[in-house]
Amino acid sequence: MKVVAITDIHGNAEATKRLAEKLRGDFDLLLIAGDVTNFGNAEKAGKVLEPLLSLGVPVLAVHGNCDGRDVPGLLEELGIGIHGKRVELKGVGFVGIGGSNVTPFHTVWELSEDEIRGILLKNYRDGDVILSHAPPKDTKADRVHSGLHVGSSALREFIEENQPPLVVTGHIHEARSVDRVGETVIVNPGPLFRGYYAVIDFDERSKKVEGVELKRL
């Protein structure tokens, strides 16, 4: 399964148009790890997503902490939202966590560590992929410019205990990276509004990541 992973579009419709033109028909699944808008509403999110949805490839998405209050509802209406639930595609399970762990900035969608843990405990099955806007703590994916690690401790603990094959995340723009915690591969594609995305080769039979490429438009 060839998976394209993007995150942190922040309302940049030009970036989604360019990505759609580049990828047309050449992948099996698109994962969107949140912040479709920059505090924008569902109408704005719809316009941003339109070029990607027109490709006819399955899309799974979660909202980010900077998406407007009505954006999760739009993702549900479009049939692509997986926040707080599990869906299965081609024999692979995907569990979604939208928003972020608590930030100092009081953004639109923030979850306590207990809420994040609860979503995972309720939905995760062995071998599932996790799509989370917030990255796990103490990884390359959650390190800000100052060097601090600001990701979710609950997600980190869950990864250590359950070893999901793949976690796709975002939120921390400067933390574009591929990392590992045990057998778990963690991918922060980098923000699409800056032209970044990732291509992941995922074997749906073995439930293993075969390769990751960090790319730029």
Side-chain angles (χ1 to χ4, degrees), residues 9-203:
I9 307 166
H10 286 287
N12 190 329
E14 184 58 34
T16 56
K17 288 176 187 174
R18 289 173 60 203
L19 182 65
E21 289 167 1
K22 187 162 190 173
L23 296 176
R24 191 168 297 279
D26 191 32
F27 63 105
D28 303 303
L29 172 66
L30 175 64
L31 297 179
I32 304 175
D35 279 353
V36 176
T37 70
N38 193 41
F39 302 101
N41 61 16
E43 182 181 2
K44 175 65 174 177
K47 291 177 181 176
V48 169
L49 292 172
E50 186 176 6
L52 301 173
L53 298 177
S54 70
L55 294 174
V57 174
V59 177
L60 299 176
V62 294
H63 59 280
N65 62 306
C66 296
D67 281 313
R69 283 285 170 193
D70 56 355
V71 171
L74 173 71
L75 299 181
E76 288 292 325
E77 288 173 20
L78 293 171
I80 65 174
I82 65 166
H83 168 65
K85 63 183 180 181
R86 178 185 187 272
V87 300
E88 205 166 291
L89 186 69
K90 294 188 177 181
V92 181
F94 296 84
V95 176
I97 306 171
S100 74
N101 52 313
V102 175
T103 79
F105 309 111
H106 306 288
T107 51
V108 181
W109 294 101
E110 297 187 6
L111 303 175
S112 70
E113 296 294 347
D114 283 344
E115 288 173 312
I116 293 171
R117 186 178 296 106
I119 289 171
L120 291 164
L121 292 174
K122 178 182 177 183
N123 295 286
Y124 181 82
R125 299 180 193 174
D126 187 47
D128 286 353
V129 172
I130 296 173
L131 178 63
S132 172
H133 183 61
K137 191 169 176 60
D138 294 326
T139 59
K140 293 177 182 178
D142 83 315
R143 186 169 55 203
V144 298
H145 282 307
S146 68
L148 290 175
H149 291 274
V150 296
S152 166
S153 58
L155 179 55
R156 169 70 190 228
E157 290 164 9
F158 189 86
I159 291 168
E160 290 177 344
E161 292 168 4
N162 295 274
Q163 295 287 279
L166 173 64
V167 177
V168 173
T169 185
H171 187 46
I172 308 303
H173 299 172
E174 60 267 43
R176 182 179 188 233
S177 59
V178 179
D179 201 0
R180 279 185 178 268
V181 174
E183 295 300 311
T184 301
V185 177
I186 299 159
V187 180
N188 180 341
L192 185 64
F193 80 89
R194 291 180 181 156
Y196 296 124
Y197 66 104
V199 177
I200 303 164
D201 183 10
F202 187 83
D203 189 328

